Amino acid sequence: MKLGMIGLGRMGGNMARRLMAGGHEVVAYDRDEEAVKKLAAEGAVAASSLDDMRGKLVAGGDGRSIWWVMLPAGEITETTVETIARDAKAGDVVIDGGNSFYKDDVRRAKALAEKGIDYVDVGTSGGVWGRERGYCMMIGGREETLTYLDPIFETLAPGRGDIPRTPYDRPEGDDWRAEKGFIHAGPPGSGHFVKMVHNGIEYGLMQAYAEGFDILKGKASDKLPEEERFDLNLTDIAEVWRRGSVISSWLLDLTAAALAKDEHLDHFSGHVADSGEGQWTIDAAMEEKVPANVLTASLFARYRSRVEHTFGDKVLSAMRFGFGGHVEIPQ
């Protein structure tokens, strides 16, 4: 299929490359001209503007233009969607694959539907490893539109791979997509809502690892009686936990890799940023009157890290760099 990719950063650029490797035609645009030139050298069709992309999507297409917006949540995504919709025609599809707030999706979908334009929100997880491993996607939109876009999602998704099937009898007609690494979550907004909660959970998991390694490191403190001090090898502990432990995970894999390079994590600042989804998850919990003690505490821990840093905060920074390429810079 043919689609336009707007935003060629850590995620968008590699998603475009995975799509091209899967046989799709990508028209690429970014305000960074060098990013466009680089992707064009790898086989993409370069676009110099959204208007230029519009013409190149129509040429040789099937009559429906597909616009995939892969930009930071907020004003830049809002403006880009508005610009696309201004001249889009009925039947065109606008996809937001960033981390937009789900209520913005609901509003945008309603506005675009009045013009006959389909709006799809794709909560995308995979970080800098997605090109190789595939992207887990949680998608909101009309079923008819998803069916049309399935070839794109199948290419981006990890596929079944070697993960054992969950042992249960699937109901007849059950959605086949989940086992391939993507789902139709529901109507517009539901994809980003599921991804929002996913990121809230991610905060909690990461905080648990961070606090655990902080406690392990603290056991060597001279504040403890000498006979109770242990000079523990954190690299070995992370490694052994990866193998057969009930707390093994990809996040632990990333932590182990970071500790193997530098057990003290001196090259990480410990200033831990957040991209908004954690707070939105807590807001949703409050709206629904659902207690979310762990997720709330993990968000507040990130706020605290910007004032004072612990070794656990460096562990968080190491994980964020490992899965997303996030470089923590003190403010």
Side-chain angles (χ1 to χ4, degrees):
M1 298 181 73
K2 188 174 188 177
L3 75 156
M5 182 66 72
I6 303 156
L8 308 177
R10 289 190 300 263
M11 293 282 282
N14 280 338
M15 291 173 77
R17 292 179 176 92
R18 187 173 175 92
L19 286 167
M20 290 190 296
H24 300 278
E25 184 178 358
V26 174
V27 182
Y29 171 68
D30 193 288
R31 291 189 297 187
D32 180 353
E33 294 180 3
E34 289 304 313
V36 177
K37 289 178 182 178
K38 185 175 181 181
L39 202 64
E42 299 176 44
V45 177
S48 59
S49 66
L50 292 179
D51 283 338
D52 185 35
M53 175 176 281
R54 194 181 308 279
K56 290 175 177 176
L57 285 176
V58 171
D62 64 0
R64 299 183 71 179
S65 297
I66 303 170
W67 307 75
W68 190 306
V69 180
M70 206 66 196
L71 297 170
E75 185 177 351
I76 186 171
T77 292
E78 191 74 30
T79 302
T80 301
V81 171
E82 288 175 355
T83 302
I84 293 169
R86 191 176 303 137
D87 296 315
K89 62 184 182 302
D92 286 355
V93 182
V94 177
I95 303 169
D96 180 3
N99 280 325
S100 289
F101 185 41
Y102 75 96
K103 292 184 180 180
D104 290 335
D105 294 314
V106 175
R107 172 178 49 78
R108 290 179 197 146
K110 183 177 180 180
L112 268 60
E114 293 175 358
K115 299 183 64 175
I117 303 167
D118 278 310
Y119 181 88
V120 176
D121 54 289
V122 182
T124 311
S125 182
V128 296
W129 296 87
R131 180 183 179 184
E132 175 187 344
R133 294 164 55 109
Y135 299 88
C136 170
M137 292 169 290
M138 298 134 270
I139 308 165
R142 297 192 310 124
E143 174 62 34
E144 296 85 349
T145 309
L146 263 69
T147 299
Y148 171 67
L149 297 172
D150 271 338
I152 291 173
F153 296 137
E154 280 200 76
T155 300
L156 288 171
R160 289 194 176 94
D162 57 1
I163 298 175
R165 301 190 72 181
T166 303
Y168 79 108
D169 294 326
R170 301 185 68 86
E172 187 174 348
D174 200 18
D175 195 342
W176 54 269
R177 299 179 177 104
E179 287 190 337
K180 290 195 172 184
F182 66 107
I183 60 167
H184 180 202
S190 62
H192 277 150
F193 183 80
V194 175
K195 176 57 162 48
M196 177 189 80
V197 177
H198 162 285
N199 282 22
I201 293 171
E202 176 187 292
Y203 281 32
L205 291 172
M206 292 172 67
Q207 188 63 30
Y209 283 123
E211 291 177 9
F213 279 100
D214 215 354
I215 294 168
L216 292 170
K217 182 176 177 58
K219 196 58 176 170
S221 171
D222 58 11
K223 296 177 182 178
L224 296 173
E226 186 172 357
E227 65 274 15
E228 295 181 11
R229 299 176 201 163
F230 303 145
D231 187 12
L232 300 169
N233 187 314
L234 303 188
T235 303
D236 284 352
I237 291 170
E239 186 64 29
V240 76
W241 281 354
R242 294 179 60 221
R243 303 177 183 280
S245 163
V246 296
I247 62 168
S248 59
S249 72
W250 185 38
L251 289 172
L252 182 59
D253 293 346
L254 296 173
T255 303
L259 289 169
K261 290 181 181 178
D262 172 16
E263 188 172 35
H264 299 291
L265 303 180
D266 287 333
H267 56 299
F268 290 101
S269 71
H271 175 104
V272 187
D274 72 282
S275 51
E277 297 92 342
Q279 180 177 330
W280 297 341
T281 303
I282 305 311
D283 290 343
M286 293 178 68
E287 288 176 1
E288 300 168 21
K289 295 180 172 56
V290 174
N293 303 328
V294 171
L295 306 192
T296 303
S298 67
L299 176 64
F300 288 167
R302 293 195 177 198
Y303 294 163
R304 189 263 312 137
S305 77
R306 298 163 204 174
V307 179
E308 57 179 357
H309 313 312
T310 67
F311 179 75
D313 297 328
K314 293 185 176 185
V315 175
L316 287 176
S317 290
M319 282 187 274
R320 279 174 52 80
F321 179 77
F323 67 71
H326 303 289
V327 178
E328 312 286 10
I329 301 175
Q331 301 298 315

